[in-house]
Each structure stands twice: as structure tokens, then as C-alpha cells.
Amino acid sequence: MDLDDPDAQLYINGLDGTNGRYAHPPLQLRTLGQRLLDQPPPDQDPALRARDRRDAGRASRIAELDRSRAAKQQALEHARDQRPPDPEAIATLTRELDALDHALLHRQHRGVREGIDPTDLAQTGWGVIVPARSDPARTHAIIEALTPLLELRTAQAGPRFRMVQGLEAGYRLGESKSSFLRRNGASSAGAADPDVMPYYLLLLGNPEQIPYAFQYQLDVQYAVGRLWFATIDEYANYANNVVDAELRGRPRSRTLALFGARSPDDPLTDRSTRLLVEPLHQALANTRPGWRTDAFIGEQASRAQLTALLGGDQTPALLLTAGHGMMFPPDHPRQRAHQGALVCSDWPGPRRWTKPIPERFYLAGEHLDPAANLACMMLFCFACHSAGTPRHDAFLHRARGTPPRPLASTAFVAGLPTALLGRPRGALAVVGHVDRTWVHSFSSAEGSRARSQIATFQSTFERLLDGQPVGHALDYFNARYAELATELSAQLDDEFKRPDLRELATLWSASSDARGYVVLGDPAVRLSFEGETTLPTGLGEGPEQRPLVGAEERHPPVLAPPPLSTVRPDEQSADTTAPSPPPPAVRPDEISEVDWEQTPASVRQLVELLRAEIYRLSRARDRFD
């Protein structure tokens, strides 16, 4: 079919494992656009408009600062060329140039408020969000298993460390992101304020307890990640893996790998390879001379090769994969374990293979080598359901009056990322998609007129390669989502102009795609490299210090969680196994006597515990294995 035809079809990522066909039949752009017009206008989250306005204003200020900096730089060079030079003028211009550099640094693209360095947890804060109603025993066991990670983040974030839990603060099933933030004293729109709610937030719960929709809406303002495992041991493994990577691990070399599956007669994998993997490889290879950048494309993108890249002898620090994700009907025996598994070039393509897809064509979590070493690496997947699957189809392209199509009996996290993150020597983070993916996330138009648009991917990878936290790196996708969603809403709301159906469909698919990328793992983790020290901000050094915690050293939990579903922090019942009450807490200088008198006793003790823990941790470091 000629893809340049006005009625060109939009191919959607995903293969049906039961019959070998596309999981979603191709759609004509015109048909998709017409169905969007037939739907009610989207109820756009105010945070999206606020984010779009903020980013536009920041871009204007950055451009103005750039012009000022260029003028100051020219003036400084002129002053240095003067004979004799004027030391006072040079010093003044240098200070002014430094001030402009500082202003530019703190106005770069980010979701946190102005003046906050998004790479410093002491400024951004770090927190955990727990479902308000959850099994108390399991929640306590999970938090205890995560003790090494919680202690590390407490030391780094200091007073801006927060456990958002219990009936009063934890996430309540069914509430919106806006309601959750307002209930916790934070603004539901605008930049994140770490003094109210930490910028880095880790969701502890499966997507039935904390839905994916809440995650990607919260992610517009905050850097959000999620952890969910079937067993407590997997939580403990992940916590130790992060602590080992940041404090005691052996970082990987500066290696980046790009894996582009491509099969004959398949327009989607041809386009994802040609317009995403190849240009991204070229761009990063040219801008990162100190890195080894490898591309495995077409026949090289086999399942055997992917196995070598995921825990084998070719494991890089950062891996991008692009290709189809596997899909199965609800309640299919392979759905939970294999949904979102990565299809490789072993698949012969839609014309040559018209029967159920065998496992040898794709890589799922249970296919990983038990001895795989994934320590200190990250994975970024362009593939449908590579991060997880919601219960219902979230997209609006169905015909009017048609109910949402069920995707699964219950929402779940994909098997491959949980297998990568929850094992000893596991990965630090996986970025994937919670529904289908669309080629309009990296290209425009259709067919031979399509052009590569990889700025969002490239900018995200640049941040990751610079060692910035993964949640902050993904902020480019959040900004793209806000911008496209705002534009889409404006076109649908315009009563005096009927939008072009193809343009409308393109806007919608690109916006939906950007929305669906999520982080699995701690959003504050970052790549570390050989020859670099990953000592966290705020931790001191000295001859009498020791490593904080690792696989061989465990401490009691930073916070001993109450039964989250039944007890408020200031209403805890007696526990015969609890230790004796600590002595009265000392009022911090930052809190007035009046406010301190009104503070519940349990909260005072918590403040004292945190202060003591932070002090202990700040004195607990001087050498690493």
C-alpha cells in the first residue's frame, strides 16, 4: 500500500501472540481524526496548561538570558584584548557572566520550581507514596525490605525526605492527582515545590492500588517512579542493588547500545529503526566521543543478541530497544508473564508468519539467564506494554457509544522489567510504556514524507548519559505531553474551525504516546561510570567513617510504619512488642514554640528520629568496596 496516499493507515505497535497478526488493526488517520471529533472534548488537567505556559515562559527567559550572556562574553573578550588590560573590568564581567550561567542553569527544562537544582536531593526532596488502604503486614515487610534504600535517601534528602502514607496522607483509590496533592497541602498545578511535596516520588503499589493514570498525571509536575514485586525478597534485592550501585558498586564503562528490531514487510519496525534508532545512534555517537555507542539493527537485533545485552558479556550502561511488544487476550495463560515482551528480528514479519508466535521470537522476563549481571544499567523500551498493562483501553479512537475494550482482568506491571529489577545484581530502572506506542513520538507525516523528530529522545538520553536522575531525564516526555495535549484540546475546543483530521489524529497519537512512558524503579537513580565517585550529596568524609549499608549490613527501618489501613500516626494503639517510648523530642529552631505545642507527640518523635538518623548517616562514610 502507498503510505503517501491521503487515506494512509496508521500502524500501531504490538503483536497478538495467539495468531501472529497485529494486535490492533491499522487505522486510517482520517478515521481516527473523525472519531476524535465525535468524542466529547477532553477534560484537560489544569496542570497540563500550567506546565505548557511555564515551559513557554521559561523558553522566553532562557532566550533573553542567552542574548545577555553572548553580549557579556563578547565584552569580556574585548576587555581581555585591551592593552593594558583592566583587571577590575575583567573581574566584574567575569562575575556577571558567572551569574548569567547560574541563572541559565536554574532555568533549564524541568518540572521543579525555579532555583532548585533537580540533581540534588537535598534541594528536591525524595518521598514514597503508599496506598492509604493496604495490607499492614505486607506494607511493613516491604518498607523493612527497602530499609537500605530509605536510609540512603534520608541521608541525601534530609528534612525533605517524606513518607506519604496512612489514611490521612496516602493515596486513596479513585482520587485524582489534583485531589491527592490538594489533600497533602500541595498545589495541583504549577511547578513542584519540594518544601511541600518532594519532587522525586516513588509509588509503592501495583496499578490496581495506584493506577497508571495517577502515575502519568502526577509525572507532569513531579519525577515519579514505581516499585511493585510479587515477593518481599525482590524489594530487598532492588534496595541493595541501588545502594551498591551508588555507594559500593562497580560502575559500568561508558557504553550505550541501541537495539532496533526490523522484520520484512513490517512498516512499523522499519520506521522505528529508520527514524528513531539510526538517527539517535548517529546523533549520540557524534556528541559523545568518550562513549562506546553500538547499534544492533535488522538481522543483528536477534533474541540471542538481546540476551547478551541484558546481563550477558555485552551489557551496556544504557540500552534502548525499539520494536513490537507482545500482547495476549485477557486471562490468557501467557499474558501476565509475556505481555510487553520484546519482539526481536527473529520474527519473519506479518506476511511470512500468520500463526501463533513462538517464544523464540521474543524475550520475556523468564527467558533471562538466572546468572545475568544487570548491575548499574538502565533499559529504555519503545514497545507497547513494555512497562505494564491497565485494565481497560485508555484511548478514545473507539466508535461513539462503544465501551472501553478490556485489556486484562486486572492491571499489572510487565514481567520483563520486574525480572530485571528484582533480582540480585539487577538493573537500576526500566523506562517503558503502559499501553500501545505510536510512531508519531519520533516522526511526522507518513510514508516517504516522514521525517525523523528525535529531539525528545535525544535530550532524555543526553541527561541520562550525563548521570542525571532518570525521573528528571524523562521530564522531556512530560513537557511534550503537556504541549501536545494543550494544542489538541485547543483544536477540539475551537468552534469556528474544523481541524484537519490527519493533523488531529497525529496530535492525539503523539500526545498519547508521550503520556504513556513511565519509570519503573526509583526515579532518583542515575548511571555511574568507571573512575567516578558516586558519593551522595550531604554525606561527609572522614577517617573514622564506614559505608552506610549494603547487602551484608542491614539496619532497622528508617520509619517504623503503622498499620496503614487502620491507624493514624497520632492515634496508634499500644503494641506490646514496640520499644519503650523515647525521651521528649527537642524543638527544632525552625519551628515556633506555639506550633511545636500543637504538634502531636508522635510527630515530634518522628522529627527527632529523622534528625538523629540524618546526623548518624552524615557521620557514617569514608571508604567504599
Side-chain angles (χ1 to χ4, degrees):
M1 179 178 183
D2 182 5
L3 294 177
D4 286 328
D5 186 272
D7 293 323
Q9 292 180 313
L10 174 64
Y11 287 83
I12 306 167
N13 189 287
L15 298 182
D16 188 331
T18 64
N19 56 34
R21 295 193 293 265
Y22 293 125
H24 306 281
L27 285 171
Q28 288 187 349
L29 285 175
R30 289 180 182 273
T31 300
L32 176 56
Q34 184 60 56
R35 289 182 180 176
L36 289 169
L37 285 179
D38 291 341
Q39 299 292 331
D43 183 16
Q44 189 180 15
D45 189 329
L48 293 174
R49 287 194 174 97
R51 173 63 190 265
D52 189 43
R53 289 194 300 269
R54 187 172 76 250
D55 290 340
R58 181 178 288 124
S60 176
R61 292 193 296 274
I62 288 176
E64 182 179 350
L65 287 168
D66 275 330
R67 290 191 293 269
S68 298
R69 189 191 184 286
K72 290 294 183 184
Q73 183 66 45
Q74 185 176 8
L76 178 59
E77 292 173 358
H78 178 73
R80 287 171 173 166
D81 289 339
Q82 295 297 308
R83 293 292 180 267
D86 184 347
E88 185 174 346
I90 291 175
T92 299
L93 288 168
T94 300
R95 286 194 300 271
E96 293 174 349
L97 196 61
D98 288 343
L100 286 170
D101 284 338
H102 180 78
L104 277 167
L105 174 66
H106 290 284
R107 283 173 173 78
Q108 296 303 311
H109 188 62
R110 59 194 58 165
V112 71
R113 67 175 168 82
E114 297 286 351
I116 298 292
D117 181 355
T119 66
D120 181 4
L121 296 191
Q123 298 184 46
T124 63
W126 188 93
V128 174
I129 297 177
V130 182
R133 295 187 179 276
S134 56
D135 178 65
R138 179 172 173 81
T139 300
H140 185 96
I142 289 172
I143 292 178
E144 184 176 12
L146 292 176
T147 292
L149 176 61
L150 297 180
E151 289 187 337
L152 176 63
R153 296 303 183 227
T154 301
Q156 294 170 319
R160 292 189 173 96
F161 173 91
R162 184 174 177 185
M163 295 287 289
V164 186
Q165 61 179 7
L167 290 175
E168 294 300 317
Y171 174 76
R172 298 172 182 174
L173 187 62
E175 74 177 333
S176 68
K177 176 266 301 185
S178 298
S179 298
F180 169 81
L181 290 175
R182 287 194 299 267
R183 185 165 54 80
N184 281 279
S187 172
S188 61
D193 184 354
D195 290 331
V196 181
M197 179 69 69
Y199 175 56
Y200 291 98
L201 292 170
L202 177 63
L203 309 181
L204 284 185
N206 65 49
E208 286 289 314
Q209 298 171 309
I210 306 179
Y212 284 124
F214 175 80
Q215 180 172 358
Y216 59 63
Q217 291 295 342
L218 187 64
D219 210 23
V220 172
Q221 294 169 262
Y222 296 85
V224 185
R226 179 191 296 267
L227 274 186
W228 181 86
F229 298 110
T231 68
I232 301 300
D233 284 345
E234 289 172 293
Y235 287 97
N237 289 338
Y238 181 77
N240 285 321
N241 290 338
V242 173
V243 172
D244 286 347
E246 295 196 17
L247 302 182
R248 300 151 57 94
R250 294 171 176 80
R252 295 194 176 273
S253 61
R254 296 177 182 272
T255 53
L256 166 67
L258 299 98
F259 182 93
R262 182 164 57 194
S263 298
D265 304 314
D266 179 31
L268 191 138
T269 56
D270 174 73
R271 191 162 172 175
S272 63
T273 298
R274 181 167 47 88
L275 299 182
L276 174 61
V277 176
E278 291 178 345
L280 187 60
H281 172 242
Q282 182 178 5
L284 295 175
N286 289 338
T287 59
R288 296 284 168 170
W291 280 72
R292 175 179 173 179
T293 305
D294 298 322
F296 302 91
I297 295 171
E299 293 182 357
Q300 293 181 312
S302 64
R303 177 179 148 167
Q305 180 61 64
L306 186 56
T307 301
L309 294 169
L310 285 175
D313 56 1
Q314 299 181 47
T315 303
L318 179 61
L319 171 62
L320 167 75
T321 65
H324 283 289
M326 290 297 301
M327 290 188 65
F328 295 88
D331 297 322
H332 189 278
R334 278 199 280 169
Q335 188 189 52
R336 285 302 182 101
H338 292 188
Q339 184 109 322
L342 305 179
V343 179
C344 303
S345 296
D346 307 71
W347 174 54
R351 293 186 180 180
R352 302 181 185 182
W353 195 270
T354 57
K355 51 188 177 181
I357 297 180
E359 296 184 30
R360 69 178 185 273
F361 289 169
Y362 62 84
L363 186 73
E366 63 186 29
H367 299 150
L368 294 173
D369 186 338
N373 181 2
L374 297 142
C376 301
M377 71 91 65
M378 292 185 192
L379 172 65
F380 193 114
C381 299
F382 173 82
C384 72
H385 300 290
S386 51
T389 301
R391 184 183 292 195
H392 292 104
D393 191 333
F395 293 104
L396 299 175
H397 68 264
R398 62 185 184 274
R400 178 185 288 274
T402 304
R405 185 169 66 95
L407 296 177
S409 57
T410 58
F412 60 92
V413 179
L416 179 58
T418 55
L420 292 169
L421 299 171
R423 63 180 52 218
R425 300 190 301 175
L428 296 175
V430 175
V431 178
H433 218 272
V434 297
D435 213 290
R436 72 204 68 184
T437 55
W438 307 78
V439 294
H440 288 138
S441 64
F442 54 80
S443 64
S444 63
E446 294 296 323
S448 61
R449 294 181 294 126
R451 296 292 180 268
S452 176
Q453 296 178 339
I454 61 167
T456 300
F457 281 88
Q458 182 178 347
S459 299
T460 298
F461 271 64
E462 291 280 3
R463 279 189 177 173
L464 291 173
L465 299 181
D466 283 337
Q468 297 192 34
V470 61
H472 175 52
L474 206 66
D475 193 49
Y476 283 103
F477 282 89
N478 303 328
R480 177 176 171 83
Y481 166 42
E483 179 182 3
L484 292 170
T486 300
E487 185 176 353
L488 175 64
S489 182
Q491 291 211 22
L492 290 172
D493 287 340
D494 192 339
E495 299 179 359
F496 303 100
K497 177 185 176 183
R498 183 176 178 85
D500 178 88
L501 295 181
R502 289 168 58 93
E503 181 181 359
L504 193 66
T506 300
L507 266 177
W508 176 83
S509 59
S511 170
S512 300
D513 183 83
R515 178 190 67 181
Y517 286 100
V518 299
V519 175
L520 297 178
D522 179 356
V525 296
R526 61 186 80 198
L527 296 174
S528 57
F529 311 107
E530 291 178 348
E532 293 185 352
T533 300
T534 57
L535 184 67
T537 301
L539 296 181
E541 296 180 336
E544 298 179 2
Q545 296 166 349
R546 59 179 175 77
L548 169 65
V549 5
E552 306 82 6
E553 179 181 356
R554 300 291 298 275
H555 300 291
V558 174
L559 302 176
L564 298 181
S565 61
T566 57
V567 183
R568 291 177 52 182
D570 56 343
E571 297 177 349
Q572 293 188 33
S573 57
D575 184 352
T576 57
T577 63
S580 301
V586 179
R587 177 179 65 84
D589 294 336
E590 298 84 358
I591 302 177
S592 69
E593 292 185 6
V594 175
D595 290 340
W596 190 245
E597 287 295 327
Q598 298 176 354
T599 302
S602 60
V603 177
R604 295 188 202 175
Q605 298 296 343
L606 179 60
V607 171
E608 184 73 5
L609 172 64
L610 286 173
R611 293 177 66 194
E613 190 70 12
I614 292 168
Y615 177 78
R616 181 183 72 81
L617 296 174
S618 69
R619 303 282 299 172
R621 183 87 69 261
D622 76 324
R623 66 182 183 275
F624 308 95
D625 291 343

